[in-house]
Amino acid sequence: MGEFGIGQSVRRTEDDRLLKGEGRYQDDINIDGQAHASFVRSPHAHAKIISIDTEAAAAMPGVIRIATSADVIAAGFGPLPCIIDHMLELKRQGDLPRVLPVRPILATDRVRHGGEPVAMVIAETFQQARDAAEAVHVEYEVLPSTTDTAASAKPDATQIYDDAPGNVCFDWEMGDAEKTKAALTDAAHVTTVDLINNRVICASMEPRGALGQYDKDSDRYTLHVGTQGVFSLRDLLAGAIMHIDPSRLQVISPDVGGAFGMKGFVYAEQPMVLWAAKELGRAVKWMSDRTEAFVTDTQGRDHVTSAKLALDKDGKILGVQVSTIANLGAYASQFGPGVPSLLYSRMIPGLYTTPAFHVAVSGVFTNTVPVDAYRGAGRPEAAYVIERLVDKAAREMEIAPDELRRRNYIQPSAMPYTTPSGLEYDSGDFAGNLNDALKRADRDGIESRKAKSKAAGRYRGLGIATYIEATGADPKETAKVEFEDDGTVALTIGTLAGGQGHLTTFAQILHDRLGVPFDKTHVHQGDSDALPQGGGTAGSRSLVIGGGAVQATADKIKDKATKIAAHMMEAAEADIEFSEGTFTIAGTDRTMNIMEIAAAAKDASNLPDGMEPGLDHTDEFMYLAPTFPNGAHICEVEIDPDTGTIDMQRYTVVDDFGKVINPLLVYGQVHGGIAQGVGQVITENCVYDPESGQLLTGSFMDYGMPRADDFPSFNVSTNEILCQTNAMGAKGAGEAGTLGALPAVINALVDALAPLGVTHIDMPATPESVWRAISAAKAA
């Protein structure tokens, strides 16, 4: 529908406000008379709490109150929740139940990771609260700690919980173990890889914060917090922790400066500022700094994997076997155990016909910050495993890596296709994406470019990776459309943007579906009082499910508007035609547009008998199945053998996101996903000291964030193969960039160094690790 409809690269309407500094983020929110909170946090990875002495701190200037676990218990608050039991059944070997330890809001008798909150200090100013927090004296008995993923699962490892022998939270299996074992036995060729998927720190641009209020007259709480979903946060805080009816808690989210999964969870600071607000009768604010974020925000990835791929003599895949140890951190986080079990395992077959597969995952506890969903949540980890296997197999069997993939791709004619993990792919042309990407990347010229690099004393490589993922989380979403008296349209949606451009995209969908003016549509989000329910932002769900809710609401409005138009123009409803916001009596020039009808509908005298005035409508949408975005990434690198420095020369992507609503915003999402994926591959690595359990990469001085000059310009395009399970034909796009990036870059590095005999490099492939791989290969 014109320049603002579906398929148009409309610039983000929210950018003008944000670029002028008019954004309203967490730290911009202040309430008159508010107090400030700071938390006393454990300096140890594992220790018993012997005593907490608050006397000196309480006497310091400005200090109002100091809270410990005794106050939390007195308030009747529950622990921080892990809701995995609502998703799936997890067990340990021997049919034993999974272990979900109690995670106290404030530590009671023991701390299990550095940064765990022990006490809260409330003062008149933030600096007074911080100074007093440093004066709280906590006596600890330091205990041995364990932080390494694989080592923590060994029999001699330090035990973190008495009821979790071997530090095991769960043992998970998916697939047919015997069939897969037989495939490996009968195979003409078996490829084996041992992989480390390194731990990463989220490091969103905006740190976390929380501001709590309590109104005595209404007996209601209000929490201002940057989050990914106000409704789920409200329900978990009210139900699992505070034990109050959700109607007594309003959660309001301001602008969110990046989230990536990490801001989708309940954290200790949130119930504590609500508790303090009621206790003190005034608002209480807490804001994290970057150092605090490094030891309190959930972290991501952290797998140790051994995998095998069985193939026949022609390179056809017979089976894949995967064994993974997944680090959960010190506690089972809100969704933590679900990421390396279900979300990871079901994507291991990838885009390939795989007659047999088996995945075994052990989730283990360590004395580290808890791990949970991070952009992609299990799918990038799975793509890395299968794409490294396929690439290595191609090299071992002397088959071109693109050709081996083509021999094994699920064909478009086979759709819908049920994978051995039980997912049903509805659409996709995987070979078509790869062929387009190879052409755009000028794969035919790579040998010439390699020769030029060799002449200059450098190594050049080209890496291929293809991916598919299942997207969608909470299947329900709600949208409300209201026609205001000033001629504008208010669209309220239950999802929550964190920089993706949702406000623009949803306005485009409403404009396209209903014809309301794009420039008069204002999209609202982030208030749990504004809608009965909403799903928030997670799992690349917002466009498909949130957009579906907008469409469903628009369709109901259009149906009512058709009846009103027929009544007002004295025509039969069947004679009313609708196009681009205009209702026309067929065969005539008599028309009314949607805004005219909305204005008229406010007056009952303009309506058929018995019809409620107004066009405003709220509707709920439920999606029927996940969507399966897929694509191909081609990365080309040049390596300096003297320093191990990687120069990324080209990066090409062809994605299938189904119907693309706004290409400009989709490309931006892909760019960001690539950057986060490449960052994990070449610079980022969360490291704990094996002796003390202390976080060694506790600031940006030590934790390597990717920078703009680490990347070339990205060559991104799409193939629109419509999804068959939703009316828009769209597929999720927000996390896809990370899936292809991990294996594409490592495959490129291996291709560059293959002449030296290098067959694998673990992430992160820093200059030092690349240089060591080169030196070891030359010395062999």
Side-chain angles (χ1 to χ4, degrees):
M1 186 178 286
E3 62 179 314
F4 299 113
I6 288 176
Q8 300 301 308
S9 289
V10 180
R11 291 188 176 275
R12 298 184 354 156
T13 57
E14 51 265 60
D15 283 354
D16 184 64
R17 173 177 62 88
L18 298 177
L19 291 171
K20 289 179 179 178
E22 297 171 359
R24 185 169 169 80
Y25 292 92
Q26 182 73 57
D27 203 26
D28 295 318
I29 301 173
N30 294 287
I31 306 296
D32 288 343
Q34 70 189 17
H36 295 263
S38 183
F39 285 81
V40 180
R41 300 188 183 277
S42 170
H44 305 293
H46 197 195
K48 291 181 180 178
I49 298 175
I50 305 302
S51 63
I52 302 175
D53 185 352
T54 63
E55 184 176 355
M60 293 181 68
V63 174
I64 304 168
R65 181 76 179 265
I66 300 176
T68 65
S69 62
D71 297 286
V72 177
I73 294 169
F77 282 10
L80 296 176
C82 173
I83 62 172
I84 190 61
D85 288 342
H86 297 290
M87 296 173 59
L88 71 161
E89 184 180 15
L90 290 176
K91 294 185 177 182
R92 288 175 293 157
Q93 286 185 2
D95 205 34
L96 296 172
R98 83 289 176 274
V99 177
L100 299 181
V102 172
R103 185 182 181 187
I105 294 173
L106 296 179
T108 52
D109 59 343
R110 185 176 293 208
V111 290
R112 291 180 169 87
H113 71 86
E116 184 168 358
V118 175
M120 178 176 71
V121 176
I122 307 158
E124 296 292 345
T125 70
F126 170 72
Q127 194 58 54
Q128 288 173 334
R130 171 170 283 188
D131 290 344
E134 293 177 356
V136 173
H137 177 71
V138 183
E139 183 181 354
Y140 297 97
E141 178 187 330
V142 179
L143 301 172
S145 61
T146 180
T147 58
D148 182 82
T149 304
S152 296
K154 293 181 178 178
D156 60 348
T158 295
Q159 296 299 292
I160 302 174
Y161 298 102
D162 293 338
D163 59 348
N167 295 315
V168 174
C169 170
F170 67 84
D171 293 299
W172 164 270
E173 291 188 59
M174 178 179 279
D176 191 323
E178 292 303 315
K179 188 176 180 181
T180 304
K181 183 178 179 181
L184 291 165
T185 300
D186 297 339
H189 182 86
V190 175
T191 290
T192 300
V193 293
D194 294 315
L195 306 171
I196 292 175
N197 202 304
N198 48 315
R199 180 183 285 230
V200 292
I201 290 170
C202 181
S204 59
M205 186 179 294
E206 178 200 27
R208 291 188 302 110
L211 191 156
Q213 293 176 274
Y214 175 74
D215 181 72
K216 184 177 180 180
D217 293 336
S218 63
D219 192 25
R220 290 193 82 210
Y221 298 86
T222 301
L223 177 67
H224 301 266
V225 60
T227 180
Q228 291 177 225
V230 294
F231 298 96
S232 60
L233 182 57
R234 175 199 64 187
D235 293 347
L236 284 172
L237 279 170
I241 294 178
M242 300 173 70
H243 307 307
I244 60 175
D245 190 278
S247 64
R248 291 180 56 203
L249 173 60
Q250 179 183 20
V251 177
I252 300 173
S253 183
D255 291 320
V256 179
F260 313 116
M262 177 271 292
K263 289 182 182 173
F265 314 123
V266 179
Y267 288 90
E269 300 86 5
Q270 297 158 357
M272 287 309 300
V273 296
L274 293 172
W275 170 86
K278 182 176 182 180
E279 286 289 308
L280 303 181
R282 59 195 290 193
V284 176
K285 178 177 180 178
W286 167 79
M287 195 70 208
S288 170
D289 62 21
R290 186 62 66 181
T291 300
E292 202 169 11
F294 270 61
V295 294
T296 62
D297 298 350
T298 57
Q299 298 173 353
R301 314 294 191 230
D302 205 340
H303 288 190
V304 175
T305 295
S306 179
K308 295 181 179 180
L309 185 69
L311 306 101
D312 70 13
K313 61 181 179 61
D314 297 317
K316 288 288 290 182
I317 293 174
L318 302 176
V320 58
Q321 182 186 75
V322 177
S323 177
T324 294
I325 302 172
N327 194 333
L328 302 179
Y331 298 96
S333 184
Q334 188 167 315
F335 296 111
V339 174
S341 54
L342 177 65
L343 300 186
Y344 167 69
S345 299
R346 66 181 184 174
M347 296 313 305
I348 287 293
L351 312 90
Y352 308 107
T353 55
T354 310
F357 98 115
H358 182 256
V359 181
V361 181
S362 287
V364 300
F365 296 113
T366 62
N367 294 116
T368 62
V369 175
V371 175
D372 213 311
Y374 172 75
R375 197 171 190 167
R379 289 107 71 197
E381 295 92 317
Y384 184 58
V385 172
I386 190 63
E387 289 301 297
R388 282 296 297 128
L389 277 170
V390 171
D391 217 70
K392 190 179 181 193
R395 196 169 299 280
E396 291 173 349
M397 298 186 73
E398 298 182 347
I399 302 172
D402 56 316
E403 175 57 25
L404 185 62
R405 287 176 168 85
R406 289 191 196 94
R407 292 183 190 182
N408 289 282
Y409 280 147
I410 300 162
Q411 297 302 306
S413 60
M415 303 293 180
Y417 181 89
T418 302
T419 73
S421 67
L423 293 172
E424 185 176 282
Y425 299 166
D426 66 279
S427 58
D429 181 1
F430 310 141
N433 294 336
L434 176 58
N435 293 340
D436 289 351
L438 289 169
K439 183 177 180 179
R440 295 174 70 91
D442 187 24
R443 199 276 302 272
D444 291 344
I446 184 60
E447 293 306 322
S448 173
R449 296 193 294 276
K450 281 186 175 183
K452 289 181 180 179
S453 295
K454 184 176 180 181
R458 294 172 177 262
Y459 302 107
R460 183 180 287 258
L462 183 143
I464 296 171
T466 53
Y467 77 90
I468 189 167
E469 60 168 332
T471 69
D474 188 325
K476 291 183 180 180
E477 194 52 84
T478 308
K480 177 171 65 176
V481 174
E482 298 169 291
F483 293 86
E484 307 289 8
D485 292 338
D486 62 0
T488 61
V489 179
L491 168 59
T492 305
I493 188 76
T495 64
L496 222 168
Q500 301 96 324
H502 290 177
L503 308 191
T504 303
T505 304
F506 290 138
Q508 282 183 260
I509 294 172
L510 187 62
H511 170 72
D512 194 274
R513 199 75 169 186
L514 199 56
V516 299
F518 177 82
D519 60 351
K520 293 185 180 296
T521 301
H522 304 293
V523 181
H524 305 281
Q525 60 172 7
D527 185 347
S528 65
D529 279 5
L531 292 171
Q533 192 55 264
T537 296
S540 299
R541 70 179 294 277
S542 291
L543 173 67
V544 174
I545 307 175
V550 174
Q551 281 197 338
T553 304
D555 288 348
K556 292 290 180 61
I557 292 172
K558 183 179 71 175
D559 291 344
K560 184 176 182 179
T562 300
K563 291 180 172 62
I564 297 172
H567 176 76
M568 294 187 68
M569 293 191 290
E570 299 179 331
E573 186 178 336
D575 292 335
I576 300 297
E577 296 176 343
F578 176 80
S579 177
E580 298 189 359
T582 299
F583 298 83
T584 304
I585 300 176
T588 76
D589 60 358
R590 296 182 62 195
T591 65
M592 292 186 73
N593 67 45
I594 185 66
M595 300 304 288
E596 291 171 335
I597 295 173
K602 295 178 183 291
D603 184 346
S605 65
N606 294 322
L607 306 179
D609 291 342
M611 180 178 283
E612 288 290 325
L615 276 188
D616 298 353
H617 185 72
T618 301
D619 214 316
E620 183 180 88
F621 172 81
M622 176 174 284
Y623 84 114
L624 301 176
T627 71
F628 297 97
N630 57 89
H633 287 225
I634 312 292
C635 177
E636 189 170 325
V637 300
E638 190 178 62
I639 299 171
D640 181 346
D642 295 328
T643 63
T645 301
I646 300 166
D647 184 359
M648 194 171 293
Q649 298 279 309
R650 302 180 180 207
Y651 203 105
T652 306
V653 182
V654 175
D655 286 307
D656 167 16
F657 295 134
K659 185 63 180 177
V660 175
I661 307 303
N662 186 318
L664 181 67
L665 301 191
V666 164
Y667 294 160
Q669 286 297 290
V670 174
H671 289 185
I674 295 169
Q676 281 188 278
V678 172
Q680 181 180 355
V681 177
I682 65 174
T683 64
E684 298 185 51
N685 197 29
C686 178
V687 180
Y688 289 87
D689 181 79
E691 298 299 323
S692 67
Q694 293 294 316
L695 179 64
L696 298 179
T697 51
S699 74
F700 289 139
M701 293 295 289
D702 303 296
Y703 186 82
M705 292 291 285
R707 290 163 170 78
D709 61 0
D710 289 324
F711 307 100
S713 293
F714 301 134
N715 182 339
V716 179
S717 62
T718 57
N719 284 333
E720 289 195 0
I721 300 174
L722 299 185
C723 178
Q724 302 301 303
T725 58
N726 65 74
M728 283 189 296
K731 304 172 185 178
E735 297 162 294
T738 59
L739 274 83
L742 272 61
V745 178
I746 291 295
N747 288 344
L749 295 175
V750 171
D751 184 59
L753 301 181
L756 299 176
V758 174
T759 61
H760 180 66
I761 296 177
D762 266 320
M763 301 186 292
T766 61
E768 179 186 355
S769 63
V770 173
W771 178 84
R772 289 186 181 278
I774 293 170
S775 299
K778 287 181 176 180

